[in-house]
């Protein structure tokens, strides 16, 4: 009799080495159900289901791609595969994710072209950056030194005031006015 766990979570075959990272699956589970503990067997089952789902969608998208005589599976092929397999409910969310990815990619392209449009070699930009860092470190050191000098001057002034008060109190306690002595002569 076969082990029930092997039926739910069959061991991976040699040609079936491709799976999702367990850490990613664990993170997804934790985000979706943070207050629920999920057994390791259940995590493995979820991992296998996710992997199988991706294989299924990929295979169908590949078929769509081949029917259109294309050599590269693109997003439209995947979206059509979702439709063909009856996962129409996922299609709208998949399109939203696709649009987000396109926006991020466009933003990255704009940022990289800004750098390229400067006309300054990357080595020169790096040198300038290092120079700015060095200047900032020097300025920080000067400010810290100035603060230390200011604190020292303040401490010296406080010590001088304390010494002056101590001398004044010791003089007034032991000696009277010398003016009285002058009158006797």
């Amino acid at each position: 009799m076969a082990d029930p766990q092997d039926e739910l979570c069959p061991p991976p075959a040699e040609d079936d080495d491709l799976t999702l990272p367990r850490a990613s699956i664990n993170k997804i589970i934790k985000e979706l159900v943070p207050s629920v503990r999920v057994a390791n067997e259940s995590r493995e089952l979820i991992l296998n289901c996710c992997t199988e789902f991706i294989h299924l969608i990929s295979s169908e998208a590949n078929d769509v791609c081949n029917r259109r005589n294309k050599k590269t599976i693109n997003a439209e092929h995947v979206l059509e595969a979702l439709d063909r397999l009856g996962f129409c409910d996922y299609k709208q969310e998949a399109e939203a994710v696709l649009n987000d990815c396109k926006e991020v990619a466009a933003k990255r392209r704009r940022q990289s072209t800004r750098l390229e449009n400067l006309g300054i070699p990357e080595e020169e930009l790096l040198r300038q950056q290092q120079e700015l860092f060095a200047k900032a470190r020097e300025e920080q050191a000067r400010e810290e030194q100035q603060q230390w000098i200011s604190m020292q001057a303040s401490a010296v002034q406080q010590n001088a005031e304390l010494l002056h008060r101590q001398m004044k109190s010791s003089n007034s306690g032991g000696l009277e006015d010398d003016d009285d002595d002058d009158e006797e002569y």
Side-chain angles (χ1 to χ4, degrees), residues 82-100:
L82 287 171
D83 272 339
R84 286 179 166 207
L85 293 170
F87 296 109
C88 302
D89 296 344
Y90 296 120
K91 186 175 178 182
Q92 187 176 9
E93 191 171 336
E95 288 172 334
V97 170
L98 175 62
N99 290 334
D100 290 344

Side-chain angles (χ1 to χ4, degrees), residues 63-131:
D63 289 346
V64 170
C65 181
N66 288 335
R67 284 187 191 124
R68 294 186 182 174
N69 295 323
K70 301 289 182 179
K71 294 187 179 192
T72 303
I73 298 172
N74 63 35
E76 289 74 28
H77 300 144
V78 174
L79 294 173
E80 187 176 331
L82 287 171
D83 272 339
R84 286 179 166 207
L85 293 170
F87 296 109
C88 302
D89 296 344
Y90 296 120
K91 186 175 178 182
Q92 187 176 9
E93 191 171 336
E95 288 172 334
V97 170
L98 175 62
N99 290 334
D100 290 344
C101 290
K102 286 180 179 180
E103 287 175 16
V104 168
K107 185 176 180 182
R108 283 186 187 150
R109 279 193 303 275
R110 283 192 303 271
Q111 287 176 342
S112 75
T113 54
R114 286 182 196 154
L115 183 63
E116 292 166 2
N117 289 338
L118 287 175
I120 302 172
E122 190 173 337
E123 294 81 19
E124 175 61 19
L125 290 172
L126 184 60
R127 187 195 63 74
Q128 289 176 4
Q129 181 184 39
Q130 294 301 326
E131 189 177 297

Side-chain angles (χ1 to χ4, degrees), residues 1-13 16 40-42 44-45 48-49:
M1 183 173 223
D3 185 11
Q5 183 178 353
D6 287 342
E7 291 177 18
L8 292 176
C9 304
D16 194 27
N40 285 336
E41 292 172 0
S42 299
E44 284 296 316
L45 179 59
N48 287 337
C49 289

